[in-house]
Amino acid sequence: MRTDTEAVLVTGLGATTPLGGDVASTWAAMLAGANGIRPIEEDWAAELPVRLAGRLAVEPTEKLDRVQARRMDRCEQVALVAAREAWADAGAPDVDPERLAVVIGTGTGGALTLLGQDDVLERSGVRKVSPHTVPMLMANGPAAWVSIDLGARGGAHTPVSACASGAEAIALGLDLIRLGRADVVVAGGAEACIHPLPLAGFAQAKAHSTRNDEPERASRPFDADRDGFVIGEGATVLVLERASRVAARGGRAHATLAGAGVTSDAHHITAAHPDGQVRAMRLALAAAGLPPQAIGLVHAHATSTPLGDLVEAGSVTEAIGTHAAVTATKSMTGHLFGAAGAIGALAALLAVRDGAIPPTRNLDTPDPRIALDVVTGGVRRGPLTAALANSFGFGGHNASLVFTPAP
């Protein structure tokens, strides 16, 4: 088995999020500490205990062909929008299609199609069910659509690892290049499942914030008054390439994907175990060849749940220490589930590129049990040697990514 130790660079970025319809607007909003969480105004939410969400800032149908979009689930739509931006940003690299791979993670896939078409079946019968239902609901749909759009024939992969899916996709992209199985990989995460059933389920599990009267203050990582996450939707995609290939084509890079660590807790279906988180961070550091002291920023998973934030804070303290700055952008976007790890990677690598760390919103009363240096109030500027991004998911999935400056 071939293992390549050459640097893998991030040459393309694409995103559509509750903060903006592309990378530039999303990043500007993050640096401004903006709010992307809003009330759900539709009638179907009136009786729900949860009536707030991180809705997309720009509808994907504004960027896609109308006929094509109608045959795609919203999760597939956002993946394609982000992938097209990332591919263009990378300069549309000239690559053998059989050496171009796609890895798009998702937590729920086409949940809106599945639930919506079930309603159609119950209400109107089998003849009214869309013939496009199955390709719209399948979890591999986002990766499939992106591979079709780009003509990628080197594999279309779909990690489904709950909230770690997007980060695992990027880690797999790194592996594909280092194992010599692909020259270019389009990797990221996509999610769109704002619907009464998930909202009701999370509310019943006491995992979702019910701060309906002030949605802009609902997601508050590490705050003593946090009461749960806020559901969000969107996608983020990176283009990964080997450094020599980028140099040969005269390309430019945003950052280096220096290492990744992926572990599982084998502990509990919803409760995290700190050992798995610590091991993921340490594996990522080892793969990057860096000591903990080199990490200047940790982009925390930090969903704003009472227990989850506390466990992660302890894990970061054990694996990295308390010297690193910490940011938690879910305070602005909400929790994008399968896309969360990818948007966290985006924030971390852009912080390394620009020497600018976005602030964490709503940290009004820091939890006294947490000793981390969480950035608040405004952008913290200064050069970063390396940044680490964490993603943890139900089922005990853990993924950590390390980014360093581009050469």
Side-chain angles (χ1 to χ4, degrees):
M1 180 182 294
R2 170 186 172 184
T3 301
D4 197 335
T5 58
E6 185 181 344
V8 173
L9 307 183
V10 181
T11 58
L13 301 173
T16 180
T17 75
L19 294 176
D22 55 23
V23 169
S25 57
T26 295
W27 182 231
M30 279 186 179
L31 293 178
N35 170 55
I37 297 170
R38 301 169 184 84
I40 300 174
E41 306 286 1
E42 287 88 343
D43 291 343
W44 55 257
E47 302 302 320
L48 289 174
V50 170
R51 298 185 299 279
L52 66 162
R55 282 269 178 83
L56 287 173
V58 177
E59 283 297 308
T61 50
E62 294 184 20
K63 299 186 176 186
L64 298 174
D65 174 78
R66 182 174 60 87
V67 175
Q68 183 186 44
R70 289 180 61 188
R71 297 178 178 178
M72 303 171 69
D73 183 82
R74 189 173 179 86
C75 182
E76 297 169 336
Q77 292 174 359
V78 296
L80 189 55
V81 167
R84 284 178 173 175
E85 182 190 4
W87 191 247
D89 182 50
D94 183 15
V95 57
D96 179 348
E98 295 186 8
R99 302 290 299 168
L100 172 61
V102 171
V103 193
I104 305 292
T106 183
T108 63
L112 295 183
T113 293
L114 175 62
L115 296 169
Q117 289 301 305
D118 181 65
D119 288 343
V120 170
L121 177 63
E122 296 292 332
R123 182 176 60 249
S124 304
V126 65
R127 292 183 179 276
K128 294 297 183 180
V129 172
S130 169
H132 303 293
T133 296
V134 172
M136 290 173 69
L137 68 83
M138 61 192 193
N140 62 306
W145 273 110
V146 171
S147 69
I148 292 167
D149 194 63
L150 299 179
R153 299 174 61 189
H157 309 276
T158 306
V160 180
S161 306
C163 309
S165 301
E168 280 207 28
I170 294 168
L172 177 55
L174 177 63
D175 286 345
L176 290 174
I177 291 176
R178 287 190 165 167
L179 292 172
R181 294 175 181 169
D183 293 328
V184 179
V185 180
V186 178
E191 203 76 271
C193 59
I194 298 174
H195 180 279
L197 184 59
L199 285 166
F202 285 127
Q204 288 295 96
K206 308 298 182 184
H208 200 292
S209 173
T210 55
R211 205 181 291 260
N212 297 309
D213 295 335
E214 44 182 4
E216 72 283 355
R217 291 169 51 80
S219 183
R220 40 198 323 108
F222 303 123
D223 190 84
D225 296 323
R226 63 191 183 275
D227 70 329
F229 63 73
V230 176
I231 191 172
E233 61 179 356
T236 297
V237 172
L238 315 182
V239 176
L240 308 176
E241 297 183 63
R242 191 177 291 105
S244 59
R245 193 179 189 285
V246 178
R249 69 179 182 87
R252 62 96 177 92
H254 296 282
T256 302
L257 175 54
V262 177
T263 67
S264 54
D265 293 345
H267 168 64
H268 190 277
I269 198 66
T270 57
H273 194 290
D275 173 70
Q277 298 179 359
V278 170
R279 287 188 295 112
M281 287 183 264
R282 287 177 173 167
L283 285 172
L285 288 171
L290 295 173
Q293 294 75 19
I295 300 298
L297 167 66
V298 174
H299 184 282
H301 182 62
T303 62
S304 187
T305 59
L307 181 58
D309 287 10
L310 187 62
V311 171
E312 182 180 11
S315 299
V316 170
T317 300
E318 182 177 347
I320 305 298
T322 58
H323 67 277
V326 175
T327 191
T329 59
K330 290 182 182 68
S331 60
M332 297 178 248
T333 64
H335 190 0
L336 274 62
F337 301 151
I343 194 172
L346 177 72
L349 74 88
L350 288 177
V352 169
R353 186 194 71 180
D354 296 349
I357 301 173
T360 301
R361 281 180 61 90
N362 301 324
L363 185 51
D364 301 326
T365 308
D367 187 327
R369 298 168 295 177
I370 293 173
L372 300 177
D373 177 19
V374 183
V375 178
T376 62
V379 178
R380 185 179 296 182
R381 297 192 182 276
L384 292 167
T385 302
L388 180 143
N390 279 332
S391 294
F392 310 129
F394 279 1
H397 303 277
N398 309 296
S400 298
L401 305 170
V402 173
F403 295 95
T404 57

